[in-house]
Amino acid sequence: MAKDNTRGTWNPRAGPYLGEVSSLSFLNLPQHVSPIPYLLAGSGSEILLYELASGELIRSFQVFEGVRVHGTVCSGSFVRSGDRYTYKLVVFGEKKVKIFALVVELSSSRAGDVSVDLEVVESLPRLSNWVFDVCFLQDSSDSLEEEGDKLVAIGCSDNSVCVWDVKESRMAFEIQSPERCLLYTMRLWGNSISTLRIASGTIFNEIIVWRAAGLDDDNLGIGEYCASHMLRLAGHEGSIFRIVWSLDGSKLVSVSDDRSARIWEIDSQEVIGPVLFGHSVRVWDCCISDSLIVTAGEDCTCRIWGMDGTQLEVIKEHIGRGIWRCLYDPNSSLLVTAGFDSAIKVHQLHNCGSEILLDTVGVLDSQDKVESFSTRLPNAPQLTGRMDSKSEYVRCLQFTQEDTMYVATNHGCLYHARLLPSGNVTWTELVRIPEEGPIIAMDVLPGGKVHESCALDDWVALGDGKGNMTIVRVMGDIYNPRAGSNQTWKASPERQLLGTFWCKSLGYRFVCSCNPRGLLKMWRLSDPLASKTDGISLVAEFSSCFGMRIMCVDASAEDEVLVCGDLRGNITLFPLSKDMLNGVSVSPELKIPSSNYFKAAHGISTVSSLSVVKLTSNKAEISSTGADGCICYFEYDRERQALEFMGLKQLKEMSLVQSVCQGMHFSKDHPNNEYAAGFSSTDFILWNLTTETKVAQISCGGWRRPHSFYLGDIPELQNCFAYVKDDVIHIHRHWVGKEKTKVFPLNLHTQFHGRELHSLCFISAETKADSWIATGCEDGSVRLTRYASEFGNWSTSELLGEHVGGSAVRSVCCVSTMHIIASDIPNLPDTHGQDSAVDDSENPCLLISVGAKRVLTSWLLRNGRTNKKGDSFVSDNGDDRASSDVSSVTFQWLATDMPTKSKKIEKTPKLDSVEEDTSFNVTESRSNSYQGRENYEDDWRYMAATAFLVKCVGSRLTICFIAVACSDATLTLRALVLPHRLWFDVASLVPLASPVLSLQHAIVPLHPSHEGNNNASSSDVYLLISGATDGSIAFWDVTICVEAFVKQVSSLHIEKFIDCQKRPRTGRGSQGGRKWKLVGAKRTQDSSSNSVSEAAEEDPATSLEVTNGFTQESESAEPLPDISEIKPSHVVKNAHQSGVNCLHVSPSSSSPSNDNGFMFNVISGGDDQALHCLSFNIIRSNSPANKSETMDLKQTQCYSIRLTDRGGVASAHSSAIKGVWMDVKWIFSTGLDQRVRCWYINKDGKLVEHAHIVISVPEPEALDAKAIDE
């Protein structure tokens, strides 16, 4: 921040907007410049210009101040001067209209490069009504030699049209419709006044079509114009939100609140074709071409319809409140959608016969399309009929290349199928199992690269119903494959062999088999290259502790670990020593128990795939996918053999995620994307995880049928899928080369929250060069977003997690500063090696989020995942400069706390006579914390939170204290004990006359550092500051409770606690963790038992809460103290006339003295539009003080708090203040008036406004700032 003497040298300015995209329009350049149109997108007060051919952001322009762009219209004609093309561009928003000159200049140095500039031609006077549409008109007196587009028609919300004369810079005239009523939409059509047609959507669910009727030959100079009613279109049963004209003006398409779209014929004045029903909620936008209609709605879907009313395609890639705008260009077949989530998606449609379908794997101007053909087994009857028990059918199939597939049948046959470009299939029978046992399982380990040498060296593992396992080595080439060698042995009893697995990292020397009860056997095969063969040998048996069928296996010889996923969502780890793989006998026992496991990693759903990737010398990342639609990430520490949950990604588009793969990064136009393949009901879906777009969707009947897929380096261009229905193999193949062109679909703009934001904060632990921001949303999502200040744009945004049940996030805060408390407890317990959630070597950085349903979630800052398994953050806004050196910032989920739905919590009674002596009456386990609040309403929610970290000297425990304010007028101090993730209630802050809206904390050093009293037992004072709905600000001293809790928990033997939940709940059968039933949770005063709770049966599928407690076997367990109640040390009543919406605490610029200590300032903002400033400092008891100014908190304490009222500004904003931030002397505030105001504290301690800016955020809810320079 600037100092006082440089205060006038800087002013705030608005940066880029990240929010809903409110307008879309095409910029059609000459064909020789670009055959593909450019895109103009309006977001906030900005215009974004994109080149659709490459998907790059060319430039952004700030066109308004605090007014959102609602529409852009570009003239169809241009003025050319050499390689310079000038277009007229009209931008409108609310009641403002501006006319610009859009200048596009071709680069002479590099072909294809263009520079774009926007010059203001005219800013029209503010209109009296909102603007709905504009269009360019030609004066009837224009000659062919004169420049056209001299008039601009402006459609307003009062059903009038204003005509602006561009040449003379004046309002030529206004035409008022005789139907004077309010409108929701209006669209203009025509290129002159005489052809101008106006369609108005009224609040009476009707469309009025009228035109401008002129007198005196329609001459602008001497004539007058009036409105002439043409027709009235009735039929909608709800408000009409959008109208579009066809190109020739003969048809109208309208969308409405009644969830329908209708096509109107202007001449016949009636609906043509059927009413288009398909959206489940309101429809926001539509567009029409000669052959199709596109609608976009609040259900986040974009639907493509034929002119006969047939729904051809549904695109659902946006999130939040819906798709706000859609746009279609028939020349390039590009469809653009934009919504409330800030994303701009681009798809390409293509002609398929007489229909128009979505080319989900299309590439621009590519002649290659999706091949769809079918085939049968050789010698199978061509006529489809009922199959009997003796008929041969497909049991397993698997792709190894785009034209190579292996097929196994119930008759014990293994076939090699080569897919020809013509759609035919060449079959080769490789082997037939003796006794023709039905093949139950098959896995293929591909050999070398087919396209380089055409040679085959594949290994196929087969398991049949007789319990035999057969290994077939396929050699030769793709034209003449042959079975080189095969080995068969008895691997399991009959009907007990259900799976065969290769591990790519182990090679062809080791293969695994499994039975129905979770027993996995690893076999060593003979080396075909060795002169002496040893035959088949059993290496080891790995028995899962869950007893469930193993569904997938992966191993890492370097990390010496074998990972298995079973039928019920569990993941089990086994040690895999190198001596065992090398044949060195380490133990005569072949049975190896599990070293670690993760119960219910995917709830009760199947684990479909596993992958192990090395991170560091002793750590590896394990990722899993499952039938719960989630991708889970774990970290495995080889030294401690610990498996730790890191995070998950839930794909709402899929019910089952089959696997995750990585695309190849070989050019700027083809970034390194991550893809997920899986199923949604009966469809196979390929999803781009980086751009959040659907690459392919194929109807196949579901994942239970035999199927296989194969993806190339660019899955958008190279993908194959095959499935079996009845006795027919259906194959879909799209395979083209790596052209140097952009692949569709695209995501042009960073995807963000699609709902209202309630809270945000900067991540405080990262470097000053980075600006990572955490945001909490109404839909329960928490996102991390990076602002690249060096490039001035939003570079990336990724979903961090969601609150349980989608409960709204009301507050987020980040804490990274550690505070140390001296310890007088001898022989603190050593908890080393129990958990790695918090590293001892450095201070942890935690992110806390709270919200509706009283959900409290914590995350821990961790190093980002490496590029080899997909970046945690990938830039998707088209600007590669900002993402070239993005530092990975990601958080590991720690714990989520919420009350059980079975309990009813009742409000804690207000106690007027509470003992102030609470020195050791501090805390209670989570199992007892709600005993005084046993009845609750479902709509209670946490409104605010603040947190700080404390650690006891000599202890390895880190305690995060979290103060949460609930809507039931309760304020609670809670504690999260790390690394064990245990929740405790520390204190209840009473009494509260009204709910608390804002919370802050201040940790004041009692002894300045120059005194050298770092070893004092009370070196810090811990204060909470709350702002309530009645306008009061309260100060709470929690020092005694914090110190007593830290010392007592540090002395406990934490290993006697039950570790709490391991995985966040997703609401899709993936509850994770453990469920504990409480027995005798309520403690009576005369009870001598130390038992708090008892662990009961585990039910991960239905667990709603996880609680900690002691096991009853622990007779020597230390008792946990009861919860304390703390009264406020001071209450500033009527600080505001109404609710205190926001608070911020900052150290004062004055240096501490020996007596007065540190000075702090508290700034607050409220619904009364006022800013209020308070100051406080800590006075040690040995210094003289006026009793009227101080308030002794406790006679045994050595300090007291002195408050000073600094006053404030009564009308700081013109509406409610929602966010404040303070740094020594500088203050920033924002309110519902869309202003951010900057203040400073002068020498007299008064607030003086320095500057203000108008922002595009419609209703600001929160504010945070970050000081870059002192």
Side-chain angles (χ1 to χ4, degrees):
M1 290 297 174
K3 295 182 180 179
D4 286 350
N5 55 0
T6 60
R7 189 164 53 236
T9 61
W10 66 274
N11 280 295
R13 61 179 180 86
Y17 179 77
L18 186 60
E20 78 283 353
V21 177
S22 52
S23 72
L24 294 174
S25 66
F26 287 124
L27 171 62
N28 292 289
L29 297 178
Q31 285 290 320
H32 69 279
V33 177
S34 175
I36 308 302
Y38 281 33
L39 180 68
L40 290 164
S43 181
S45 300
E46 293 180 315
I47 292 291
L48 309 175
L49 180 62
Y50 290 95
E51 182 185 2
L52 292 181
S54 62
E56 294 183 359
L57 174 66
I58 304 299
R59 194 173 173 185
S60 62
F61 305 94
Q62 190 83 19
V63 293
F64 290 126
E65 184 182 14
V67 176
R68 285 176 292 171
V69 175
H70 287 167
T72 55
V73 176
C74 189
S75 62
S77 60
F78 57 85
V79 177
R80 179 176 181 180
S81 176
D83 290 336
R84 183 184 176 98
Y85 300 86
T86 304
Y87 294 81
K88 287 180 182 176
L89 178 68
V90 178
V91 183
F92 61 92
E94 299 180 8
K95 300 179 182 180
K96 293 287 293 181
V97 179
K98 284 188 177 181
I99 303 175
F100 296 89
L102 182 63
V103 181
V104 180
E105 188 170 359
L106 304 183
S107 175
S108 57
S109 58
R110 293 183 60 185
D113 287 357
V114 298
S115 62
V116 182
D117 197 11
L118 199 63
E119 303 171 358
V120 179
V121 175
E122 205 146 18
S123 181
L124 277 64
R126 183 180 177 88
L127 300 175
S128 57
N129 295 281
W130 279 46
V131 178
F132 281 159
D133 195 17
V134 299
C135 73
F136 287 99
L137 301 177
Q138 295 179 353
D139 187 358
S140 57
S141 63
D142 288 345
S143 61
L144 295 176
E145 291 81 10
E146 291 181 328
E147 179 188 351
D149 299 338
K150 289 185 176 181
L151 304 177
V152 175
I154 306 169
C156 299
S157 60
D158 63 342
N159 207 10
S160 67
V161 174
C162 302
V163 178
W164 179 266
D165 192 335
V166 178
K167 185 176 181 181
E168 299 184 5
S169 299
R170 67 180 181 89
M171 191 66 73
F173 54 88
E174 180 180 354
I175 310 173
Q176 178 67 56
S177 171
E179 298 279 347
R180 299 196 62 146
C181 60
L182 294 178
L183 309 179
Y184 279 111
T185 183
M186 174 189 283
R187 294 306 292 269
L188 310 178
W189 179 86
N191 58 3
S192 66
I193 299 177
S194 59
T195 60
L196 181 63
R197 301 291 184 268
I198 303 101
S200 306
T202 72
I203 61 174
F204 303 113
N205 308 338
E206 295 177 335
I207 301 175
I208 299 173
V209 182
W210 53 285
R211 65 184 181 88
L215 305 174
D216 299 329
D217 298 327
D218 288 350
N219 193 313
L220 179 62
I222 60 175
E224 295 182 356
Y225 295 87
C226 63
S228 175
H229 178 80
M230 294 181 61
L231 52 99
R232 184 188 307 270
L233 305 175
H236 279 292
E237 297 178 359
S239 302
I240 298 169
F241 291 137
R242 193 75 166 172
I243 301 171
V244 292
W245 290 89
S246 62
L247 290 177
D248 58 1
S250 62
K251 298 183 183 66
L252 275 176
V253 177
S254 59
V255 294
S256 168
D257 192 19
D258 62 3
R259 302 172 297 169
S260 72
R262 298 170 189 256
I263 312 169
W264 309 89
E265 181 74 49
I266 298 301
D267 294 337
S268 60
Q269 303 185 23
E270 62 183 17
V271 177
I272 58 172
V275 179
L276 307 181
F277 278 107
H279 291 274
S280 58
V281 285
R282 292 178 289 186
V283 188
W284 291 125
D285 198 12
C286 59
C287 53
I288 183 174
S289 71
D290 293 337
S291 56
L292 62 82
I293 295 169
V294 180
T295 58
E298 196 176 15
D299 56 357
C300 294
T301 64
C302 179
R303 300 174 186 264
I304 305 167
W305 312 80
M307 298 304 292
D308 58 353
T310 304
Q311 183 173 289
L312 304 177
E313 195 69 41
V314 179
I315 308 170
K316 188 174 183 180
E317 296 175 356
H318 292 269
I319 59 176
R321 292 178 57 192
I323 302 177
W324 188 237
R325 290 288 176 258
C326 62
L327 194 62
Y328 177 66
D329 179 46
N331 296 324
S332 59
S333 299
L334 291 182
L335 173 64
V336 185
T337 59
F340 289 94
D341 59 356
S342 184
I344 303 175
K345 310 278 187 176
V346 184
H347 294 83
Q348 188 182 25
L349 309 181
H350 71 96
N351 291 320
C352 183
S354 59
E355 294 183 334
I356 296 183
L357 300 176
L358 177 66
D359 188 0
T360 54
V361 288
V363 57
L364 203 58
D365 299 330
S366 172
Q367 300 301 320
D368 301 274
K369 298 301 176 185
V370 179
E371 301 177 76
S372 297
F373 54 95
S374 59
T375 184
R376 287 182 170 88
L377 292 172
N379 303 322
Q382 294 299 318
L383 296 178
T384 303
R386 290 186 177 182
M387 294 185 299
D388 54 29
S389 59
K390 297 182 180 180
S391 300
E392 186 177 20
Y393 56 88
V394 177
R395 291 297 301 260
C396 311
L397 73 161
Q398 185 170 338
F399 276 107
T400 56
Q401 294 290 338
E402 72 275 10
D403 56 356
T404 304
M405 184 168 58
Y406 290 94
V407 180
T409 72
N410 63 321
H411 283 185
C413 288
L414 174 66
Y415 293 97
H416 176 279
R418 178 169 173 256
L419 312 182
L420 303 177
S422 60
N424 296 324
V425 179
T426 301
W427 292 90
T428 303
E429 182 177 331
L430 297 175
V431 69
R432 184 178 293 269
I433 294 177
E435 303 179 9
E436 293 188 357
I439 295 178
I440 303 299
M442 179 183 73
D443 196 15
V444 182
L445 182 66
K449 295 183 179 179
V450 173
H451 292 294
E452 294 183 0
S453 62
C454 295
L456 283 179
D457 191 11
D458 297 337
W459 294 79
V460 183
L462 303 173
D464 60 31
K466 305 290 185 181
N468 298 321
M469 197 164 179
T470 303
I471 304 298
V472 181
R473 184 183 184 186
V474 183
M475 304 178 67
D477 53 46
I478 59 174
Y479 306 104
N480 298 295
R482 58 182 176 84
S485 62
N486 61 76
Q487 306 172 68
T488 303
W489 70 97
K490 189 75 171 179
S492 294
E494 187 173 355
R495 305 182 69 177
Q496 295 295 305
L497 180 58
L498 295 185
T500 59
F501 308 99
W502 294 102
C503 295
K504 192 173 182 180
S505 61
L506 302 181
Y508 60 85
R509 291 296 310 279
F510 299 92
V511 68
C512 299
S513 64
C514 73
N515 70 356
R517 292 179 296 278
L519 180 65
L520 185 75
K521 296 181 180 180
M522 177 176 286
W523 307 87
R524 180 186 289 108
L525 308 181
S526 59
D527 189 354
L529 302 179
S531 58
K532 183 179 179 181
T533 58
D534 299 329
I536 309 296
S537 61
L538 178 63
V539 178
E541 293 183 356
F542 305 92
S543 180
S544 171
C545 55
F546 298 105
M548 294 291 177
R549 174 185 171 186
I550 302 296
M551 302 300 295
C552 52
V553 176
D554 197 16
S556 173
E558 192 174 1
D559 295 303
E560 298 184 347
V561 64
L562 178 72
V563 188
C564 303
D566 65 25
L567 188 66
R568 289 300 180 190
N570 307 305
I571 294 178
T572 309
L573 273 66
F574 297 95
L576 188 66
S577 65
K578 294 181 180 179
D579 293 336
M580 181 194 306
L581 296 177
N582 295 331
V584 179
S585 177
V586 294
S587 172
E589 292 288 336
L590 292 178
K591 294 185 178 181
I592 298 179
S594 61
S595 59
N596 209 326
Y597 64 86
F598 199 100
K599 182 176 176 60
H602 291 271
I604 57 173
S605 304
T606 302
V607 182
S608 54
S609 71
L610 287 166
S611 174
V612 183
V613 175
K614 188 176 184 62
L615 291 178
T616 62
S617 58
N618 62 334
K619 290 186 178 181
E621 182 188 71
I622 300 174
S623 60
S624 65
T625 65
D628 60 345
C630 292
I631 307 170
C632 295
Y633 299 95
F634 306 86
E635 189 176 272
Y636 172 69
D637 192 317
R638 184 177 63 180
E639 292 182 356
R640 299 185 301 110
Q641 292 190 348
L643 182 66
E644 189 174 356
F645 179 84
M646 298 299 295
L648 64 82
K649 183 178 182 64
Q650 183 179 1
L651 299 183
K652 294 182 172 61
E653 298 78 13
M654 296 185 186
S655 57
L656 178 143
V657 182
Q658 189 78 34
S659 65
V660 175
C661 66
Q662 196 80 24
M664 179 177 288
H665 179 97
F666 62 89
S667 72
K668 183 177 70 172
D669 293 336
H670 299 290
N672 191 9
N673 292 338
E674 199 173 15
Y675 299 84
F679 293 85
S680 174
S681 184
T682 60
D683 294 345
F684 170 77
I685 290 181
L686 182 60
W687 189 266
N688 189 323
L689 296 173
T690 305
T691 62
E692 293 294 338
T693 54
K694 184 169 59 179
V695 177
Q697 181 172 357
I698 300 170
S699 180
C700 61
W703 60 273
R704 297 185 182 276
R705 291 175 174 170
H707 65 273
S708 179
F709 63 91
Y710 181 77
L711 306 178
D713 295 334
I714 314 175
E716 285 88 352
L717 303 178
Q718 302 168 338
N719 60 79
C720 303
F721 178 73
Y723 68 95
V724 178
K725 183 178 180 181
D726 298 328
D727 60 342
V728 180
I729 303 175
H730 300 270
I731 302 170
H732 296 257
R733 181 172 61 178
H734 181 81
W735 205 270
V736 297
K738 304 173 183 177
E739 289 91 352
K740 296 264 179 129
T741 184
K742 197 65 183 179
V743 177
F744 293 97
L746 296 177
N747 185 17
L748 302 180
H749 200 240
T750 302
Q751 192 164 27
F752 196 53
H753 295 286
R755 298 291 299 275
E756 300 82 359
L757 294 185
H758 293 305
S759 182
L760 57 84
C761 69
F762 279 97
I763 302 303
S764 56
E766 27 89 13
T767 61
K768 290 187 176 181
D770 291 331
S771 294
W772 289 96
I773 302 168
T775 52
C777 182
E778 175 68 25
D779 62 359
S781 61
V782 179
R783 297 186 75 94
L784 284 181
T785 307
R786 179 179 184 260
Y787 176 71
S789 56
E790 63 272 27
F791 301 110
N793 68 350
W794 299 99
S795 62
T796 185
S797 178
E798 178 166 296
L799 180 67
L800 179 61
E802 294 184 2
H803 276 204
V804 179
S807 53
V809 179
R810 304 298 303 185
S811 179
V812 295
C813 62
C814 183
V815 53
S816 60
T817 303
M818 182 69 71
H819 302 276
I820 305 298
I821 290 181
S823 173
D824 52 2
I825 304 173
N827 301 324
L828 289 174
D830 185 9
T831 61
H832 178 65
Q834 293 185 16
D835 203 317
S836 63
V838 177
D839 193 353
D840 228 26
S841 61
E842 58 184 11
N843 293 340
C845 176
L846 268 65
L847 181 66
I848 308 296
S849 66
V850 301
K853 301 179 183 178
R854 296 193 301 161
V855 175
L856 194 160
T857 303
S858 60
W859 284 275
L860 174 68
L861 178 67
R862 301 295 293 257
N863 294 327
R865 289 185 286 134
T866 56
N867 290 333
K868 55 192 172 186
K869 270 306 290 181
D871 292 332
S872 294
F873 300 98
V874 181
S875 174
D876 55 8
N877 68 339
D879 193 343
D880 294 310
R881 299 175 304 164
S883 60
S884 58
D885 56 350
V886 172
S887 62
S888 292
V889 172
T890 186
F891 280 83
Q892 170 198 359
W893 173 85
L894 278 182
T896 295
D897 179 66
M898 65 180 298
T900 56
K901 293 183 178 180
S902 58
K903 286 187 179 181
K904 291 187 177 180
I905 310 289
E906 64 183 17
K907 190 174 176 180
T908 303
K910 299 178 183 177
L911 301 178
D912 296 331
S913 58
V914 179
E915 291 292 334
E916 291 185 358
D917 186 0
T918 58
S919 56
F920 295 98
N921 224 359
V922 283
T923 181
E924 180 175 6
S925 168
R926 170 68 201 277
S927 57
N928 286 341
S929 61
Y930 293 103
Q931 294 303 319
R933 300 176 276 158
E934 292 267 325
N935 295 308
Y936 80 100
E937 300 294 335
D938 290 338
D939 59 348
W940 283 3
R941 59 182 57 194
Y942 287 143
M943 304 298 295
T946 186
F948 52 91
L949 293 171
V950 180
K951 196 170 188 178
C952 189
V953 174
S955 173
R956 295 183 179 274
L957 297 180
T958 299
I959 302 174
C960 179
F961 288 93
I962 307 167
V964 287
C966 188
S967 58
D968 64 343
T970 58
L971 186 58
T972 307
L973 181 63
R974 312 211 59 203
L976 174 62
V977 179
L978 300 175
H980 305 283
R981 310 180 188 187
L982 300 174
W983 291 101
F984 295 90
D985 271 10
V986 179
S988 177
L989 282 60
V990 295
L992 284 177
S994 56
V996 170
L997 294 177
S998 53
L999 271 177
Q1000 286 287 304
H1001 72 274
I1003 300 178
V1004 185
L1006 188 60
H1007 300 278
S1009 57
H1010 61 79
E1011 296 186 13
N1013 292 330
N1014 293 332
N1015 294 327
S1017 60
S1018 297
S1019 58
D1020 292 331
V1021 177
Y1022 298 86
L1023 297 177
L1024 295 178
I1025 303 125
S1026 63
T1029 56
D1030 60 357
S1032 63
I1033 299 176
F1035 289 76
W1036 313 78
D1037 186 359
V1038 296
T1039 306
I1040 297 176
C1041 288
V1042 167
E1043 291 182 352
F1045 179 85
V1046 171
K1047 292 178 182 179
Q1048 185 160 3
V1049 169
S1050 299
S1051 65
L1052 295 178
H1053 291 279
I1054 291 294
E1055 66 272 9
K1056 297 177 182 179
F1057 281 78
I1058 300 170
D1059 202 358
C1060 61
Q1061 65 210 98
K1062 296 289 189 180
R1063 177 198 192 280
R1065 302 189 288 269
T1066 60
R1068 297 178 64 177
S1070 310
Q1071 305 301 335
R1074 304 180 178 98
K1075 178 184 177 182
W1076 303 98
K1077 291 184 179 179
L1078 307 182
V1079 178
K1082 187 166 183 176
R1083 190 188 314 175
T1084 58
Q1085 292 183 355
D1086 56 349
S1087 174
S1088 60
S1089 173
N1090 296 331
S1091 175
V1092 177
S1093 61
E1094 181 182 21
E1097 60 181 350
E1098 299 182 11
D1099 187 5
T1102 59
S1103 66
L1104 297 175
E1105 173 171 359
V1106 182
T1107 348
N1108 341 301
F1110 290 119
T1111 58
Q1112 285 195 336
E1113 290 82 359
S1114 176
E1115 297 181 357
S1116 61
E1118 299 88 339
L1120 290 177
D1122 296 328
I1123 191 170
S1124 65
E1125 293 180 343
I1126 303 176
K1127 287 184 177 181
S1129 62
H1130 195 77
V1131 177
V1132 181
K1133 295 184 178 180
N1134 300 322
H1136 291 269
Q1137 298 177 13
S1138 55
V1140 182
N1141 293 324
C1142 46
L1143 286 170
H1144 198 264
V1145 182
S1146 172
S1148 175
S1149 58
S1150 60
S1151 59
S1153 63
N1154 291 335
D1155 295 333
N1156 294 335
F1158 289 91
M1159 178 75 73
F1160 282 77
N1161 293 327
V1162 179
I1163 189 73
S1164 61
D1167 282 332
D1168 58 355
Q1169 309 172 11
L1171 287 176
H1172 193 88
C1173 186
L1174 295 170
S1175 296
F1176 71 90
N1177 62 331
I1178 302 296
I1179 301 176
R1180 283 183 281 177
S1181 60
N1182 56 2
S1183 62
N1186 189 345
K1187 291 185 178 181
S1188 63
E1189 295 179 350
T1190 62
M1191 202 170 190
D1192 290 333
L1193 301 177
K1194 192 169 182 288
Q1195 293 182 357
T1196 59
Q1197 289 180 339
C1198 60
Y1199 61 87
S1200 58
I1201 301 175
R1202 181 171 62 186
L1203 298 180
T1204 304
D1205 192 344
R1206 299 286 186 184
V1209 181
S1211 297
H1213 287 259
S1214 60
S1215 59
I1217 297 176
K1218 289 293 189 177
V1220 292
W1221 183 87
M1222 189 177 189
D1223 182 19
V1224 186
K1225 285 189 174 183
W1226 291 96
I1227 299 170
F1228 291 95
S1229 63
T1230 188
L1232 298 181
D1233 57 355
Q1234 292 186 259
R1235 264 68 174 172
V1236 173
R1237 299 186 184 273
C1238 177
W1239 314 78
Y1240 68 94
I1241 302 177
N1242 62 11
K1243 296 180 180 179
D1244 300 329
K1246 303 299 181 182
L1247 271 64
V1248 179
E1249 184 175 359
H1250 169 70
H1252 79 275
I1253 56 173
V1254 182
I1255 57 176
S1256 302
V1257 180
E1259 294 180 357
E1261 285 279 339
L1263 178 145
D1264 195 16
K1266 177 182 176 181
I1268 303 297
D1269 298 321
E1270 296 296 333

